């Protein structure tokens, strides 16, 4: 074996380890307070693929719901351009600096899906935004009312397989290694978010989902720290589950409705929330909140749907997931009554009445037609 190549990779690893240790130390001392602002600025980022189509309708929805607040200057909807794959590639940056600066000026963000080039070194814009704004909690609710399913996933959003996902090491022709990073402080804060939610919402259990039998160091730590946090929440049971059997449990109608709150490392959370969303009616139906101490970003859980665009079906994209993200956004900024109105309208349009349905192709309604239907029910 070529020692020089190994030495060079060890140096790379040393740099990663030093950087991550510094990050973990900083997490321990971070107390970013929520700023108090007179005006709430909702930044709106369209993204790529079906992004501009579903965001166009989401903006119309927010304009309708927040009409008085906008007129009175208490809330502003601010479009932020430039987070497109074309501009990102041209600038060679996953988030161009001026775009990030504009985003930081906002109170919260509503974001359409953004394209991530496969391979290469360009990081996903989502991953960069989550890190830059320290949005550590990815909160994804899934409800199937007729089955009594009311799940909420607390996916750790800045660590795990994602922290160094674009910075693995490689001996070409021989092997490649990626790294998974779990920190004590990073785990503690997502665990606290999950247990706080359970406590505030009268939930009886939190399922800690890992593969600690195999990923012993990282998932072992994740589980251990969740149990430590659980001690501060008497009456809420902390259950350990492995990701493989939990994936099976979610498609087992005999037991799935008993689960309530889930807390899990980043990649497992990514995968299992797509499964859960599919059970609810498809990834086009689930909204997602990315929360940090200071910033919050709301989005659909799905991607840009390049195949729909290629087939000319973009205008048939389902806006439900971004509408559900709008509901979470409204709740987050304290507009509870408007969030409830939107929830009731969505319930009528997708469960009880269902007079207009999107199918994702020409057999169903267009994005605009479905949006009109929801607006008519507000
Ligand atoms: C999600 C998405 C993202 C992720 C992609 C677009 C980077 O799948 O929000 O679940 O992997 O987190
Ligand atoms: Mg995903």
């Amino acid at each position: 074996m070529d020692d020089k190549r190994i030495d060079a990779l060890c140096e790379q690893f040393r740099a990663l380890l030093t950087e991550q240790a510094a990050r973990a130390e900083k997490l321990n001392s971070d107390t970013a307070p929520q700023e108090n602002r007179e005006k709430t600025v909702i930044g709106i980022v369209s993204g790529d693929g079906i992004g501009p189509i579903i965001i166009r309708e989401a903006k119309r929805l927010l304009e309708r719901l927040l009409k008085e607040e906008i007129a009175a200057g208490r809330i502003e909807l601010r479009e932020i351009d430039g987070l497109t794959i074309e501009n990102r590639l041209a600038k060679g940056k996953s988030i161009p600096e001026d775009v990030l600066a504009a985003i930081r000026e906002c109170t919260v963000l509503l974001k359409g899906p953004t394209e991530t080039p496969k391979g290469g070194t360009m990081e996903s814009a989502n991953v960069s935004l989550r890190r830059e704004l320290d949005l550590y909690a990815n909160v994804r609710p899934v409800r199937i009312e007729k089955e009594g399913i009311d799940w909420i996933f607390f996916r750790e959003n800045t660590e795990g397989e994602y922290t160094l996902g674009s910075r693995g090491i490689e001996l070409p022709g021989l092997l490649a290694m990626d790294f998974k990073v779990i920190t004590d402080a990073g785990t503690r804060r997502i665990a606290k978010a999950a247990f706080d939610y359970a406590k505030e919402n009268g939930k009886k259990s939190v399922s800690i989902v890992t593969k600690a039998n195999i990923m012993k160091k990282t998932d072992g730590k994740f589980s251990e720290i969740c149990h430590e946090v659980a001690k501060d929440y008497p009456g809420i049971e902390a259950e350990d589950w492995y990701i493989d059997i939990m994936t099976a449990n979610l498609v087992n109608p005999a037991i799935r409705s008993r689960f309530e709150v889930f807390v899990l490392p980043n990649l497992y959370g990514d995968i299992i929330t797509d499964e859960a969303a599919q059970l609810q009616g498809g990834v086009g139906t689930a909204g997602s909140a990315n929360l940090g101490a200071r910033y919050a970003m709301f989005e659909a859980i799905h991607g840009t749907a390049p195949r729909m665009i290629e087939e000319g079906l973009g205008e048939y994209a389902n806006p439900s997931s971004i509408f559900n993200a709008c509901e979470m956004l409204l709740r987050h900024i304290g507009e509870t009554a408007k969030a409830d109105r939107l929830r009731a309208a969505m319930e009528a349009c997708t469960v009880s009445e269902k007079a207009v349905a999107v199918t994702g192709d020409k057999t169903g309604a267009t994005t605009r037609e479905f949006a009109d239907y929801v607006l008519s029910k507000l």
Side-chain angles (χ1 to χ4, degrees):
M1 189 64 252
D2 173 356
D3 283 352
K4 279 222 186 67
R5 281 204 299 171
I6 300 251
D7 284 349
L9 291 182
C10 287
E11 269 318 299
Q12 257 187 54
F13 180 66
R14 186 184 180 80
L16 294 177
L17 185 57
T18 309
E19 171 200 293
Q20 289 304 308
R23 184 179 68 83
E25 267 173 357
K26 187 158 174 292
L27 274 184
N28 270 326
S29 60
D30 254 6
T31 48
Q34 181 86 42
E35 263 175 55
N36 250 333
R37 297 189 188 204
E38 304 229 309
K39 183 179 186 184
T40 301
V41 180
I42 304 176
I44 300 190
V45 169
S46 291
D48 305 305
I50 61 170
I53 300 167
I54 59 174
I55 285 286
R56 178 190 75 205
E57 301 307 324
K59 181 159 178 267
R60 212 153 61 88
L61 180 79
L62 290 178
E63 273 163 357
R64 170 75 68 84
L65 277 166
L66 298 169
K67 197 163 168 225
E68 289 101 52
E69 290 73 12
I70 293 171
R74 285 197 299 278
I75 293 184
E76 178 189 338
L77 302 186
R78 184 183 294 171
E79 282 192 47
I80 297 173
D81 298 323
L83 201 68
T84 57
I85 188 68
E86 295 80 14
N87 191 39
R88 292 162 58 219
L89 286 174
K91 303 260 165 68
K93 288 231 151 197
S94 80
I95 318 172
E97 262 143 44
D98 54 330
V99 178
L100 185 58
I103 288 173
R104 284 190 198 277
E105 294 288 304
C106 303
T107 323
V108 296
L109 198 66
L110 182 71
K111 181 188 147 296
T114 42
E115 193 177 319
T116 307
K118 220 180 275 149
T121 52
M122 165 97 54
E123 189 176 52
S124 136
N126 268 43
V127 173
S128 310
L129 272 173
R130 290 167 183 168
R131 187 188 50 244
E132 291 296 330
L133 305 177
D134 200 23
L135 305 171
Y136 65 86
N138 194 321
V139 184
R140 299 184 158 179
V142 165
R143 287 178 218 98
I144 308 173
E145 269 141 53
K146 64 179 190 307
E147 272 195 58
I149 289 176
D150 187 4
W151 295 329
I152 187 154
F153 295 84
F154 284 79
R155 162 189 177 190
E156 201 295 319
N157 210 24
T158 54
E159 304 202 328
E161 305 75 3
Y162 283 65
T163 313
L164 299 175
S166 308
R167 297 162 71 195
I169 61 177
E170 193 170 2
L171 283 171
L174 206 56
L175 65 82
M177 287 169 86
D178 280 320
F179 303 107
K180 169 164 174 167
V181 187
I182 297 281
T183 64
D184 289 48
T187 307
R188 202 163 283 125
R189 61 185 186 173
I190 187 70
K192 231 178 138 310
F195 280 93
D196 279 344
Y197 176 90
K199 186 175 166 188
E200 280 154 27
N201 292 276
K203 305 291 181 190
K204 298 273 168 288
S205 72
V206 173
S207 301
I208 304 158
V209 187
T210 67
K211 189 74 182 174
N213 50 340
I214 302 300
M215 301 303 287
K216 290 180 190 281
K217 288 283 182 227
T218 49
D219 284 2
K221 177 187 284 300
F222 191 91
S223 167
E224 194 185 305
I225 289 184
C226 286
H227 281 284
E228 255 174 58
V229 169
K231 290 194 191 123
D232 294 335
Y233 299 82
I236 300 174
E237 194 168 350
E239 299 179 1
D240 266 312
W241 290 92
Y242 291 138
I243 182 66
D244 47 355
I245 190 61
M246 185 53 90
T247 308
N249 287 342
L250 294 197
V251 287
N252 181 351
I255 61 166
R256 63 185 177 187
S257 64
R258 77 170 198 73
F259 298 109
E260 301 181 308
V261 180
F262 301 79
V263 62
L264 62 185
N266 210 338
L267 184 60
Y268 307 141
D270 175 46
I271 297 168
I272 208 169
T273 53
D274 267 17
E275 183 198 20
Q278 190 59 40
L279 295 168
Q280 174 184 263
V283 293
T285 66
S288 165
N290 298 265
L291 309 176
R294 162 70 186 83
Y295 292 98
M297 172 172 93
F298 299 82
E299 60 184 351
I301 80 160
H302 56 73
T304 58
R307 260 182 295 253
M308 288 186 79
I309 297 294
E310 268 162 39
E311 289 163 24
L313 295 173
E315 291 289 342
Y316 292 84
N318 191 347
S320 295
S321 69
I322 201 79
F323 287 4
N324 287 331
C326 289
E327 182 205 321
M328 298 180 89
L329 184 155
L330 290 166
R331 253 177 240 294
H332 182 83
I333 62 170
E335 296 290 348
T336 315
K338 316 240 170 195
D340 289 343
R341 262 172 77 195
L342 176 54
R343 163 88 66 93
M346 286 300 286
E347 202 276 336
C349 296
T350 61
V351 184
S352 57
E353 191 185 285
K354 264 178 138 173
V356 176
V358 266
T359 56
D361 58 35
K362 291 184 178 162
T363 63
T366 63
T367 315
R368 168 58 58 100
E369 282 161 358
F370 182 77
D372 283 341
Y373 181 40
V374 175
L375 285 165
S376 77
K377 296 284 164 189
L378 285 174

